[in-house]
């Protein structure tokens, strides 16, 4: 599953989560369409358990609760 969560004329950032035999593969991917050679670049990736992904989601939710 892939979701674009930031896009502008100069930059795009997306997250992709896929299932592997070892857990969930999370990638954060950037794309700069105005670059000399535009291509997607993986900025971060790792394999995490479902619990670890849920803890990440909970941490993001908690951080957003304190933001106006």
């Amino acid at each position: 599953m892939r979701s674009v969560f930031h896009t502008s004329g100069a930059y795009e950032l997306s997250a992709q989560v896929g299932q592997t035999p070892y857990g969930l593969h999370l990638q954060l991917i950037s794309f700069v369409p105005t670059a000399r050679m535009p291509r997607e670049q993986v900025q971060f990736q790792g394999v995490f358990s479902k619990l670890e992904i849920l803890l990440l989601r909970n941490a993001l939710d908690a951080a957003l609760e304190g933001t106006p």
Side-chain angles (χ1 to χ4, degrees):
M1 180 187 101
R2 186 163 181 173
S3 297
V4 174
F5 59 90
H6 175 77
T7 187
S8 69
Y11 190 75
E12 181 178 287
L13 188 59
S14 61
Q16 181 170 304
V17 178
Q19 185 77 36
T20 74
Y22 307 104
L24 297 167
H25 184 229
L26 170 67
Q27 291 182 316
L28 297 178
I29 304 163
S30 67
F31 177 68
V32 179
T34 57
R36 179 185 293 173
M37 296 178 63
R39 69 177 194 271
E40 294 181 343
Q41 294 186 346
V42 175
Q43 299 299 326
F44 174 81
Q45 68 178 334
V47 177
F48 302 94
S49 69
K50 184 176 179 179
L51 176 60
E52 291 169 324
I53 296 291
L54 290 171
L55 290 172
L56 174 61
R57 183 179 71 180
N58 292 344
L60 291 172
D61 287 343
L64 289 173
E65 286 178 9
T67 304

